[in-house]
Amino acid sequence: MKITAFAILLNLLLVFQLKAQRSFEATARTIGLESISEFRNFLALANDAALPEDIVHNISWAQTQLQNLGFEVETLETTALPLLLAKQNYKKGRPTLAFYMHLDGQGIDRTKWNQQNPYVAVLKEKSAKGFKEVSWDRLEEKEVENYRIFARSSSDDKGPFVMLLTALKHLNKIGKSPEFNIKMILDFEEEKSSPGLPEAVEKYKDQLIADMLLILDGPVHSSGKPTLVFGNRGIATLTLTSFGPLMPQHSGHYGNYIPNPALDLSRALASMKDEQGRVVIPGFYKGITLGAATKKILEGVPSEEKSIKERTQTKRNDRVGITYQESIQYPSLNIRGMQSGWVGKQARTIIPATATAELDIRLVLESDPYQLIDGVKSHLEGQTFTVLDHIPSKEERMDYDKIIQMNYKVAYPAFRTNTESKEGKWLNSLLTEYYNEKPVVIRTSGGSVPISPFVNQLGIPAIGVPTVNLDNNQHSPNENLRIGNYLMGIETFLAILSTQF
């Protein structure tokens, strides 16, 4: 085939155009690799959300970093742990964009981590047997993107915070400023459902108001492409406990006679769903319709079914929706944990005294959480259970055949921003122009972030800009952040900060 000079020139121009569009790529690599030492120091600060004494050091670290960048930092006191609000007006008359992040982390079980201390970051590379530790000197190599930093909160959510800090520090160093004013909202109890956030929004609404809220949390799409998330599900939790004998009883003496609470609870839970995993409680999916416009958005997301099955090693899936994206447009009812008696080496031949199940309900915008919870209660009553909100008394135990104690908490509702909003169009256009490809647009993410008060009470449109790798093991042992995602996150924030809104 004859290749003309014109064709060669055209190809070179296209290559040049693509490279030119990613004008921050080389810079992000340089400043990103330089920032990793500081990132490791931050990761070394323990941040278990359940231990306030851990969180104090993280608040201090973040406050110092932001003040050094010229931010005015304010502590917003709540009945729980405080929030940090950092503000800086770069350009008079320009809009203000708020960034939400959380700097607390899930607790750790050191026995499940493949390193001595989950707060001391290690660098690893993929091998035939999983991941193996390598020297930090490897980051001086040319190809570093697939190395990973293993540490608690590397991805969820300290990584994105340091990415944004690194981008801001670079602009400050070269004498440039963002094209809009900035507020940063730092949450230190997100992993505990942010109990102080709703009251903070109500109490400090004048300080928190902004033209737009960007959420820096969660992973990009499995394709690794730039991703925008326009909604997140909310969450409610329930605890169900069934009761058998007052004390565990010998299964030889009383098997076939005393009812087993674990069996009672198992039957109750199993009755809530059909064989396809669909909730059968009346009204659970009420008000949810997926019209043509919505389905077009969902179909625009590259298919994840194959990669999900491969990653989780599950052959079948529930059929609440036809695809993964359709499934997460509905509320879910999930058993997140069960306990009764003893198992493993501690197993005993007993009829247990109680059985407990912890459930979570992921909420969508159309869901009324209290109606869903009432539906669960009514369903249990339909299964001939007496539902109490307390441990039964002797009289109650003797009066009722089957008792379940039910307690619940609504943490926060869902939110969703219109994908065709001006804020959405701005971000979509910005990323499309910069990366020369359209970002993956997620209508609703399956996970939850507690920012719905900003949307529902303050009327601030919110959009997620995730940056971390999907297989980051957040909330689990061996959490990690891929170096390529870290560098691209810095690049993305440089592009956003440098574009007028």
Side-chain angles (χ1 to χ4, degrees):
M1 180 183 293
K2 186 176 181 180
I3 302 176
T4 65
F6 176 76
I8 293 173
L9 179 61
L10 181 61
N11 188 56
L12 288 173
L13 285 172
L14 288 172
V15 171
F16 175 77
Q17 183 185 33
L18 181 60
K19 289 291 184 183
Q21 283 176 322
R22 294 191 62 169
S23 53
F24 299 110
E25 186 175 16
T27 298
R29 177 188 172 92
T30 300
I31 64 176
L33 293 176
E34 288 174 351
S35 71
I36 284 179
S37 176
E38 187 172 60
F39 184 27
R40 291 168 62 188
N41 290 337
F42 187 28
L43 291 170
L45 299 178
N47 67 337
D48 188 336
L51 301 175
E53 60 271 24
D54 280 4
I55 301 302
V56 170
H57 303 294
N58 289 272
I59 293 174
S60 177
W61 190 93
Q63 189 167 6
T64 299
Q65 294 289 321
L66 292 166
Q67 287 174 336
N68 288 344
L69 279 169
F71 278 85
E72 176 189 340
V73 183
E74 187 177 354
T75 301
L76 304 184
E77 298 293 342
T78 75
T79 52
L81 288 177
L83 302 176
L84 276 191
L85 173 64
K87 300 181 289 186
Q88 188 156 188
N89 292 325
Y90 292 101
K91 297 185 178 178
K92 189 176 180 180
R94 291 284 177 87
T96 297
L97 270 65
F99 292 82
Y100 169 87
M101 293 146 283
H102 71 90
L103 300 183
D104 60 318
Q106 286 281 338
I108 58 171
D109 180 350
R110 293 173 186 262
T111 65
K112 299 293 196 310
W113 283 73
N114 298 326
Q115 62 199 69
Q116 189 170 3
N117 187 341
Y119 294 116
V120 176
V122 297
L123 188 68
K124 295 188 179 185
E125 68 175 353
K126 206 167 222 179
S127 68
K129 296 182 178 179
F131 284 91
K132 66 176 183 180
E133 187 172 345
V134 297
S135 168
W136 288 99
D137 293 340
R138 291 284 192 92
L139 294 182
E140 298 174 5
E141 298 173 358
K142 185 177 180 180
E143 302 293 333
V144 300
E145 284 75 13
N146 288 322
Y147 290 123
R148 301 196 186 198
I149 298 172
F150 279 74
R152 172 55 87 220
S153 295
S154 53
S155 278
D156 184 28
D157 192 28
K158 287 184 175 182
F161 178 55
V162 175
M163 294 175 204
L164 180 59
L165 279 181
T166 303
L168 286 167
K169 286 178 181 179
H170 173 71
L171 293 179
N172 188 56
K173 183 178 180 181
I174 63 175
K176 292 188 176 182
S177 60
E179 291 295 324
F180 41 79
N181 302 314
I182 289 178
K183 290 182 180 179
M184 285 196 207
I185 301 155
L186 302 183
D187 189 350
F188 295 91
E189 290 188 294
E190 193 268 353
E191 302 296 4
K192 291 175 60 181
S193 300
S194 301
L197 190 60
E199 66 174 284
V201 171
E202 180 67 28
K203 184 177 179 181
Y204 304 104
K205 55 186 175 183
D206 291 338
Q207 293 102 305
L208 293 170
I209 197 71
D211 295 284
M212 180 182 182
L213 179 67
L214 298 183
I215 306 159
L216 308 190
D217 194 4
V220 297
H221 182 264
S222 59
S223 64
K225 294 181 178 181
T227 304
L228 295 175
V229 178
F230 285 79
N232 285 82
R233 295 196 287 187
I235 188 169
T237 57
L238 299 91
T239 302
L240 301 179
T241 299
S242 59
F243 297 86
L246 188 61
M247 297 291 290
Q249 298 296 318
H250 193 291
S251 64
H253 294 324
Y254 295 105
N256 294 341
Y257 185 75
I258 292 179
N260 189 307
L263 185 59
D264 284 345
L265 182 60
S266 298
R267 285 175 173 153
L269 295 171
S271 71
M272 295 180 187
K273 290 190 175 185
D274 64 18
E275 288 295 319
Q276 300 299 315
R278 293 178 291 238
V279 178
V280 298
I281 297 171
F284 200 82
Y285 302 128
K286 181 182 178 182
I288 302 166
T289 56
L290 304 181
T294 297
K295 287 191 175 182
K296 185 176 180 181
I297 296 170
L298 303 180
E299 290 165 1
V301 180
S303 175
E304 298 167 271
E305 274 71 10
K306 185 176 179 180
S307 63
I308 291 173
K309 289 176 182 293
E310 180 67 25
R311 188 173 65 254
T312 62
Q313 296 184 26
T314 50
K315 183 178 185 297
R316 64 185 178 89
N317 56 275
D318 290 345
R319 304 299 295 174
V320 177
I322 297 172
T323 64
Y324 169 68
Q325 284 299 319
E326 276 197 19
S327 296
I328 59 176
Q329 307 308 309
Y330 295 86
S332 65
L333 179 62
N334 173 61
I335 304 168
R336 59 179 182 159
M338 297 178 69
Q339 183 175 318
S340 185
W342 293 265
V343 298
K345 292 181 179 179
Q346 288 78 40
R348 306 175 188 183
T349 51
I350 54 94
I351 297 169
T354 61
T356 298
E358 297 286 353
L359 279 65
D360 60 63
I361 299 177
R362 297 286 176 164
L363 308 162
V364 297
L365 193 62
E366 295 81 2
S367 301
D368 180 330
Y370 296 100
Q371 285 187 5
L372 298 188
I373 291 167
D374 284 344
V376 172
K377 181 180 179 182
S378 295
H379 179 82
L380 291 170
E381 290 171 340
Q383 298 290 312
T384 69
F385 284 95
T386 297
V387 182
L388 305 176
D389 62 1
H390 56 272
I391 296 173
S393 65
K394 178 180 179 180
E395 290 74 21
E396 287 169 326
R397 294 174 67 98
M398 299 306 294
D399 282 345
Y400 304 120
D401 286 336
K402 295 194 303 184
I403 297 173
I404 276 188
Q405 179 184 351
M406 174 175 156
N407 300 100
Y408 64 87
K409 175 184 178 183
V410 178
Y412 43 85
F415 84 92
R416 189 164 63 235
T417 298
N418 192 326
T419 58
E420 293 299 309
S421 63
K422 68 174 184 178
E423 297 80 12
K425 288 181 176 179
W426 175 71
L427 274 173
N428 201 325
S429 175
L430 183 163
L431 294 178
T432 299
E433 184 175 342
Y434 183 80
Y435 286 106
N436 200 37
E437 65 175 335
K438 290 184 177 181
V440 177
V441 173
I442 306 292
R443 179 179 185 253
T444 297
S445 170
S448 303
V449 291
I451 59 83
S452 53
F454 291 98
V455 181
N456 300 331
Q457 294 182 43
L458 302 184
I460 303 175
I463 300 173
V465 185
T467 53
V468 304
N469 44 295
L470 182 65
D471 57 345
N472 65 70
N473 293 337
Q474 66 186 85
H475 292 196
S476 299
N478 303 307
E479 181 179 347
N480 65 85
L481 174 59
R482 180 176 170 271
I483 294 292
N485 286 77
Y486 180 71
L487 301 180
M488 190 172 173
I490 295 169
E491 183 182 1
T492 296
F493 293 138
L494 284 170
I496 291 173
L497 294 169
S498 303
T499 304
Q500 285 191 29
F501 174 59

